[in-house]
mmCIF file of all heavy atoms in Angstrom:
data_model
loop_
_atom_site.group_PDB
_atom_site.id
_atom_site.type_symbol
_atom_site.label_atom_id
_atom_site.label_comp_id
_atom_site.label_asym_id
_atom_site.label_seq_id
_atom_site.Cartn_x
_atom_site.Cartn_y
_atom_site.Cartn_z
ATOM 1 N N THR A 300 78.337 114.592 71.774
ATOM 2 C CA THR A 300 77.813 113.285 72.130
ATOM 3 C C THR A 300 77.506 112.446 70.903
ATOM 4 O O THR A 300 77.384 111.244 70.998
ATOM 5 C CB THR A 300 76.538 113.439 72.977
ATOM 6 O OG1 THR A 300 75.625 114.264 72.285
ATOM 7 C CG2 THR A 300 76.873 114.053 74.324
ATOM 8 N N LYS A 301 77.346 113.076 69.748
ATOM 9 C CA LYS A 301 77.142 112.356 68.501
ATOM 10 C C LYS A 301 78.322 112.617 67.572
ATOM 11 O O LYS A 301 78.915 113.691 67.592
ATOM 12 C CB LYS A 301 75.873 112.836 67.801
ATOM 13 C CG LYS A 301 74.592 112.486 68.513
ATOM 14 C CD LYS A 301 73.420 112.967 67.685
ATOM 15 C CE LYS A 301 72.116 112.626 68.346
ATOM 16 N NZ LYS A 301 70.974 113.129 67.563
ATOM 17 N N VAL A 302 78.639 111.661 66.763
ATOM 18 C CA VAL A 302 79.689 111.848 65.774
ATOM 19 C C VAL A 302 79.161 112.793 64.706
ATOM 20 O O VAL A 302 77.975 112.764 64.352
ATOM 21 C CB VAL A 302 80.098 110.483 65.161
ATOM 22 C CG1 VAL A 302 81.190 110.650 64.130
ATOM 23 C CG2 VAL A 302 80.524 109.540 66.260
ATOM 24 N N VAL A 303 80.041 113.631 64.164
ATOM 25 C CA VAL A 303 79.622 114.646 63.211
ATOM 26 C C VAL A 303 79.003 114.014 61.976
ATOM 27 O O VAL A 303 78.024 114.505 61.429
ATOM 28 C CB VAL A 303 80.822 115.548 62.833
ATOM 29 C CG1 VAL A 303 80.437 116.550 61.758
ATOM 30 C CG2 VAL A 303 81.334 116.263 64.058
ATOM 31 N N SER A 304 79.527 112.880 61.531
ATOM 32 C CA SER A 304 78.985 112.248 60.332
ATOM 33 C C SER A 304 77.564 111.734 60.557
ATOM 34 O O SER A 304 76.773 111.648 59.628
ATOM 35 C CB SER A 304 79.894 111.101 59.892
ATOM 36 O OG SER A 304 79.942 110.121 60.902
ATOM 37 N N GLU A 305 77.182 111.390 61.796
ATOM 38 C CA GLU A 305 75.832 110.911 62.084
ATOM 39 C C GLU A 305 74.815 112.037 62.108
ATOM 40 O O GLU A 305 73.671 111.863 61.708
ATOM 41 C CB GLU A 305 75.801 110.205 63.447
ATOM 42 C CG GLU A 305 76.567 108.917 63.497
ATOM 43 C CD GLU A 305 76.552 108.323 64.892
ATOM 44 O OE1 GLU A 305 75.936 108.924 65.790
ATOM 45 O OE2 GLU A 305 77.172 107.279 65.081
ATOM 46 N N SER A 306 75.192 113.192 62.597
ATOM 47 C CA SER A 306 74.223 114.274 62.787
ATOM 48 C C SER A 306 74.243 115.287 61.654
ATOM 49 O O SER A 306 73.521 116.262 61.712
ATOM 50 C CB SER A 306 74.496 114.982 64.103
ATOM 51 O OG SER A 306 75.780 115.578 64.064
ATOM 52 N N GLY A 307 75.037 115.086 60.645
ATOM 53 C CA GLY A 307 75.087 116.031 59.536
ATOM 54 C C GLY A 307 76.254 116.980 59.707
ATOM 55 O O GLY A 307 77.282 116.656 60.291
ATOM 56 N N ALA A 308 76.076 118.194 59.205
ATOM 57 C CA ALA A 308 77.172 119.159 59.232
ATOM 58 C C ALA A 308 77.359 119.794 60.598
ATOM 59 O O ALA A 308 78.428 120.266 60.926
ATOM 60 C CB ALA A 308 76.926 120.240 58.187
ATOM 61 N N MET A 309 76.303 119.800 61.419
ATOM 62 C CA MET A 309 76.391 120.470 62.706
ATOM 63 C C MET A 309 76.347 119.451 63.845
ATOM 64 O O MET A 309 75.519 118.556 63.845
ATOM 65 C CB MET A 309 75.217 121.445 62.847
ATOM 66 C CG MET A 309 75.263 122.307 64.040
ATOM 67 S SD MET A 309 73.901 123.462 63.927
ATOM 68 C CE MET A 309 73.860 124.025 65.584
ATOM 69 N N ALA A 310 77.249 119.581 64.807
ATOM 70 C CA ALA A 310 77.268 118.659 65.942
ATOM 71 C C ALA A 310 76.218 119.089 66.951
ATOM 72 O O ALA A 310 76.127 120.253 67.314
ATOM 73 C CB ALA A 310 78.646 118.661 66.588
ATOM 74 N N GLU A 311 75.406 118.130 67.404
ATOM 75 C CA GLU A 311 74.352 118.421 68.371
ATOM 76 C C GLU A 311 74.725 117.804 69.713
ATOM 77 O O GLU A 311 75.254 116.709 69.775
ATOM 78 C CB GLU A 311 73.023 117.836 67.911
ATOM 79 C CG GLU A 311 72.517 118.431 66.620
ATOM 80 C CD GLU A 311 71.224 117.769 66.184
ATOM 81 O OE1 GLU A 311 70.597 117.094 67.010
ATOM 82 O OE2 GLU A 311 70.862 117.937 65.015
ATOM 83 N N TYR A 312 74.398 118.515 70.766
ATOM 84 C CA TYR A 312 74.629 118.014 72.103
ATOM 85 C C TYR A 312 73.311 117.477 72.646
ATOM 86 O O TYR A 312 72.237 117.990 72.355
ATOM 87 C CB TYR A 312 75.185 119.113 73.008
ATOM 88 C CG TYR A 312 76.577 119.527 72.607
ATOM 89 C CD1 TYR A 312 76.785 120.614 71.774
ATOM 90 C CD2 TYR A 312 77.678 118.812 73.040
ATOM 91 C CE1 TYR A 312 78.062 120.978 71.396
ATOM 92 C CE2 TYR A 312 78.956 119.168 72.673
ATOM 93 C CZ TYR A 312 79.141 120.260 71.848
ATOM 94 O OH TYR A 312 80.391 120.606 71.482
ATOM 95 N N MET A 313 73.408 116.430 73.463
ATOM 96 C CA MET A 313 72.200 115.777 73.955
ATOM 97 C C MET A 313 71.435 116.621 74.975
ATOM 98 O O MET A 313 70.229 116.602 75.005
ATOM 99 C CB MET A 313 72.557 114.424 74.588
ATOM 100 C CG MET A 313 73.108 113.442 73.590
ATOM 101 S SD MET A 313 71.944 113.041 72.294
ATOM 102 C CE MET A 313 70.923 111.879 73.140
ATOM 103 N N GLY A 314 72.130 117.348 75.825
ATOM 104 C CA GLY A 314 71.460 118.091 76.886
ATOM 105 C C GLY A 314 71.649 119.584 76.744
ATOM 106 O O GLY A 314 72.561 120.067 76.074
ATOM 107 N N ALA A 315 70.782 120.326 77.407
ATOM 108 C CA ALA A 315 70.891 121.781 77.421
ATOM 109 C C ALA A 315 71.782 122.211 78.579
ATOM 110 O O ALA A 315 71.938 121.483 79.564
ATOM 111 C CB ALA A 315 69.509 122.398 77.573
ATOM 112 N N ASN A 316 72.341 123.383 78.466
ATOM 113 C CA ASN A 316 73.200 123.909 79.521
ATOM 114 C C ASN A 316 72.321 124.431 80.652
ATOM 115 O O ASN A 316 71.592 125.421 80.488
ATOM 116 C CB ASN A 316 74.075 125.023 78.963
ATOM 117 C CG ASN A 316 75.082 125.509 79.956
ATOM 118 O OD1 ASN A 316 75.220 124.953 81.043
ATOM 119 N ND2 ASN A 316 75.810 126.551 79.597
ATOM 120 N N LYS A 317 72.349 123.782 81.798
ATOM 121 C CA LYS A 317 71.498 124.163 82.924
ATOM 122 C C LYS A 317 72.226 125.036 83.947
ATOM 123 O O LYS A 317 71.639 125.433 84.946
ATOM 124 C CB LYS A 317 70.984 122.910 83.630
ATOM 125 C CG LYS A 317 70.095 122.064 82.765
ATOM 126 C CD LYS A 317 69.611 120.859 83.527
ATOM 127 C CE LYS A 317 68.740 119.978 82.663
ATOM 128 N NZ LYS A 317 68.269 118.797 83.369
ATOM 129 N N VAL A 318 73.491 125.324 83.712
ATOM 130 C CA VAL A 318 74.286 126.087 84.675
ATOM 131 C C VAL A 318 73.705 127.483 84.925
ATOM 132 O O VAL A 318 73.576 127.889 86.082
ATOM 133 C CB VAL A 318 75.763 126.161 84.236
ATOM 134 C CG1 VAL A 318 76.565 127.085 85.126
ATOM 135 C CG2 VAL A 318 76.376 124.770 84.242
ATOM 136 N N PRO A 319 73.317 128.245 83.908
ATOM 137 C CA PRO A 319 72.744 129.575 84.208
ATOM 138 C C PRO A 319 71.480 129.500 85.050
ATOM 139 O O PRO A 319 71.257 130.348 85.918
ATOM 140 C CB PRO A 319 72.454 130.168 82.819
ATOM 141 C CG PRO A 319 73.369 129.448 81.901
ATOM 142 C CD PRO A 319 73.514 128.071 82.462
ATOM 143 N N ASP A 320 70.646 128.482 84.801
ATOM 144 C CA ASP A 320 69.428 128.328 85.610
ATOM 145 C C ASP A 320 69.772 128.051 87.068
ATOM 146 O O ASP A 320 69.178 128.621 87.982
ATOM 147 C CB ASP A 320 68.565 127.196 85.057
ATOM 148 C CG ASP A 320 68.077 127.490 83.642
ATOM 149 O OD1 ASP A 320 67.926 128.689 83.299
ATOM 150 O OD2 ASP A 320 67.862 126.529 82.881
ATOM 151 N N PHE A 321 70.735 127.142 87.288
ATOM 152 C CA PHE A 321 71.132 126.822 88.653
ATOM 153 C C PHE A 321 71.791 128.016 89.334
ATOM 154 O O PHE A 321 71.595 128.243 90.526
ATOM 155 C CB PHE A 321 72.073 125.618 88.687
ATOM 156 C CG PHE A 321 71.377 124.312 88.400
ATOM 157 C CD1 PHE A 321 71.968 123.360 87.598
ATOM 158 C CD2 PHE A 321 70.139 124.033 88.934
ATOM 159 C CE1 PHE A 321 71.338 122.164 87.341
ATOM 160 C CE2 PHE A 321 69.492 122.843 88.682
ATOM 161 C CZ PHE A 321 70.090 121.893 87.879
ATOM 162 N N GLN A 322 72.572 128.779 88.589
ATOM 163 C CA GLN A 322 73.179 129.977 89.171
ATOM 164 C C GLN A 322 72.096 130.972 89.608
ATOM 165 O O GLN A 322 72.179 131.556 90.679
ATOM 166 C CB GLN A 322 74.117 130.649 88.162
ATOM 167 C CG GLN A 322 75.418 129.929 87.987
ATOM 168 C CD GLN A 322 76.287 130.584 86.927
ATOM 169 O OE1 GLN A 322 75.811 131.333 86.085
ATOM 170 N NE2 GLN A 322 77.571 130.289 86.974
ATOM 171 N N ARG A 323 71.084 131.146 88.782
ATOM 172 C CA ARG A 323 69.997 132.058 89.124
ATOM 173 C C ARG A 323 69.257 131.571 90.367
ATOM 174 O O ARG A 323 68.944 132.359 91.266
ATOM 175 C CB ARG A 323 69.031 132.172 87.945
ATOM 176 C CG ARG A 323 67.896 133.138 88.172
ATOM 177 C CD ARG A 323 66.954 133.230 86.976
ATOM 178 N NE ARG A 323 66.659 131.957 86.331
ATOM 179 C CZ ARG A 323 65.764 131.063 86.787
ATOM 180 N NH1 ARG A 323 65.102 131.309 87.887
ATOM 181 N NH2 ARG A 323 65.547 129.947 86.134
ATOM 182 N N ILE A 324 69.016 130.272 90.463
ATOM 183 C CA ILE A 324 68.292 129.723 91.609
ATOM 184 C C ILE A 324 69.109 129.857 92.894
ATOM 185 O O ILE A 324 68.615 130.316 93.921
ATOM 186 C CB ILE A 324 67.934 128.239 91.361
ATOM 187 C CG1 ILE A 324 66.876 128.119 90.266
ATOM 188 C CG2 ILE A 324 67.449 127.572 92.634
ATOM 189 C CD1 ILE A 324 66.646 126.699 89.790
ATOM 190 N N PHE A 325 70.380 129.447 92.837
ATOM 191 C CA PHE A 325 71.183 129.377 94.056
ATOM 192 C C PHE A 325 71.728 130.726 94.506
ATOM 193 O O PHE A 325 72.100 130.882 95.665
ATOM 194 C CB PHE A 325 72.329 128.384 93.887
ATOM 195 C CG PHE A 325 71.867 126.960 93.817
ATOM 196 C CD1 PHE A 325 72.117 126.187 92.711
ATOM 197 C CD2 PHE A 325 71.175 126.395 94.870
ATOM 198 C CE1 PHE A 325 71.694 124.876 92.656
ATOM 199 C CE2 PHE A 325 70.744 125.086 94.826
ATOM 200 C CZ PHE A 325 70.999 124.328 93.703
ATOM 201 N N GLN A 326 71.797 131.712 93.628
ATOM 202 C CA GLN A 326 72.368 132.999 94.008
ATOM 203 C C GLN A 326 71.331 134.018 94.475
ATOM 204 O O GLN A 326 71.689 135.111 94.872
ATOM 205 C CB GLN A 326 73.181 133.578 92.840
ATOM 206 C CG GLN A 326 74.453 132.812 92.593
ATOM 207 C CD GLN A 326 75.233 133.335 91.409
ATOM 208 O OE1 GLN A 326 74.771 134.206 90.686
ATOM 209 N NE2 GLN A 326 76.420 132.810 91.222
ATOM 210 N N THR A 327 70.048 133.660 94.437
ATOM 211 C CA THR A 327 69.045 134.583 94.953
ATOM 212 C C THR A 327 69.107 134.598 96.478
ATOM 213 O O THR A 327 69.287 133.568 97.116
ATOM 214 C CB THR A 327 67.620 134.183 94.507
ATOM 215 O OG1 THR A 327 67.367 132.857 94.926
ATOM 216 C CG2 THR A 327 67.463 134.298 93.018
ATOM 217 N N SER A 328 68.976 135.786 97.067
ATOM 218 C CA SER A 328 69.033 135.897 98.521
ATOM 219 C C SER A 328 67.612 135.981 99.060
ATOM 220 O O SER A 328 67.054 137.059 99.227
ATOM 221 C CB SER A 328 69.851 137.118 98.937
ATOM 222 O OG SER A 328 69.266 138.278 98.403
ATOM 223 N N ASP A 329 67.009 134.816 99.313
ATOM 224 C CA ASP A 329 65.643 134.773 99.813
ATOM 225 C C ASP A 329 65.557 134.140 101.197
ATOM 226 O O ASP A 329 64.469 133.844 101.670
ATOM 227 C CB ASP A 329 64.734 134.035 98.831
ATOM 228 C CG ASP A 329 65.287 132.692 98.411
ATOM 229 O OD1 ASP A 329 66.341 132.294 98.926
ATOM 230 O OD2 ASP A 329 64.659 132.044 97.560
ATOM 231 N N GLY A 330 66.683 133.937 101.850
ATOM 232 C CA GLY A 330 66.689 133.409 103.205
ATOM 233 C C GLY A 330 66.580 131.903 103.305
ATOM 234 O O GLY A 330 66.584 131.352 104.394
ATOM 235 N N ILE A 331 66.463 131.209 102.185
ATOM 236 C CA ILE A 331 66.363 129.746 102.187
ATOM 237 C C ILE A 331 67.778 129.173 102.111
ATOM 238 O O ILE A 331 68.588 129.640 101.305
ATOM 239 C CB ILE A 331 65.524 129.253 100.994
ATOM 240 C CG1 ILE A 331 64.109 129.835 101.063
ATOM 241 C CG2 ILE A 331 65.466 127.737 100.954
ATOM 242 C CD1 ILE A 331 63.265 129.552 99.844
ATOM 243 N N PRO A 332 68.110 128.174 102.934
ATOM 244 C CA PRO A 332 69.440 127.564 102.844
ATOM 245 C C PRO A 332 69.676 126.943 101.460
ATOM 246 O O PRO A 332 68.726 126.534 100.781
ATOM 247 C CB PRO A 332 69.425 126.474 103.917
ATOM 248 C CG PRO A 332 68.294 126.821 104.817
ATOM 249 C CD PRO A 332 67.320 127.586 104.013
ATOM 250 N N VAL A 333 70.930 126.872 101.054
ATOM 251 C CA VAL A 333 71.279 126.375 99.727
ATOM 252 C C VAL A 333 70.809 124.938 99.526
ATOM 253 O O VAL A 333 70.348 124.580 98.446
ATOM 254 C CB VAL A 333 72.811 126.477 99.513
ATOM 255 C CG1 VAL A 333 73.225 125.828 98.217
ATOM 256 C CG2 VAL A 333 73.246 127.916 99.518
ATOM 257 N N HIS A 334 70.887 124.125 100.564
ATOM 258 C CA HIS A 334 70.512 122.719 100.411
ATOM 259 C C HIS A 334 69.005 122.513 100.351
ATOM 260 O O HIS A 334 68.546 121.389 100.216
ATOM 261 C CB HIS A 334 71.134 121.873 101.532
ATOM 262 C CG HIS A 334 70.648 122.235 102.904
ATOM 263 N ND1 HIS A 334 71.201 123.270 103.625
ATOM 264 C CD2 HIS A 334 69.670 121.705 103.673
ATOM 265 C CE1 HIS A 334 70.576 123.359 104.786
ATOM 266 N NE2 HIS A 334 69.645 122.427 104.848
ATOM 267 N N MET A 335 68.203 123.585 100.418
ATOM 268 C CA MET A 335 66.746 123.475 100.352
ATOM 269 C C MET A 335 66.144 124.297 99.209
ATOM 270 O O MET A 335 64.939 124.365 99.069
ATOM 271 C CB MET A 335 66.136 123.956 101.672
ATOM 272 C CG MET A 335 66.602 123.210 102.883
ATOM 273 S SD MET A 335 65.983 121.565 102.928
ATOM 274 C CE MET A 335 64.469 121.826 103.789
ATOM 275 N N LYS A 336 66.969 124.900 98.354
ATOM 276 C CA LYS A 336 66.480 125.858 97.357
ATOM 277 C C LYS A 336 65.710 125.234 96.204
ATOM 278 O O LYS A 336 64.957 125.926 95.537
ATOM 279 C CB LYS A 336 67.651 126.652 96.788
ATOM 280 C CG LYS A 336 68.155 127.690 97.745
ATOM 281 C CD LYS A 336 68.558 128.919 97.027
ATOM 282 C CE LYS A 336 69.045 129.915 98.038
ATOM 283 N NZ LYS A 336 68.806 131.245 97.684
ATOM 284 N N ARG A 337 65.852 123.954 95.938
ATOM 285 C CA ARG A 337 65.207 123.382 94.759
ATOM 286 C C ARG A 337 63.822 122.810 95.052
ATOM 287 O O ARG A 337 63.245 122.123 94.228
ATOM 288 C CB ARG A 337 66.103 122.320 94.140
ATOM 289 C CG ARG A 337 67.323 122.957 93.502
ATOM 290 C CD ARG A 337 68.225 122.000 92.841
ATOM 291 N NE ARG A 337 67.570 121.268 91.769
ATOM 292 C CZ ARG A 337 68.031 120.154 91.257
ATOM 293 N NH1 ARG A 337 69.134 119.639 91.722
ATOM 294 N NH2 ARG A 337 67.399 119.545 90.300
ATOM 295 N N GLY A 338 63.288 123.064 96.230
ATOM 296 C CA GLY A 338 61.897 122.734 96.494
ATOM 297 C C GLY A 338 61.670 121.362 97.102
ATOM 298 O O GLY A 338 62.407 120.910 97.974
#
């Protein structure tokens, strides 16, 4: 999301990877429908 020259030698991404968190939430078998799992 940033040009390498702006952020120095290492490229930084603006957001964190939330996919593992969502996988953990949606793959638990607790009897709650998928469309209601996020509270």
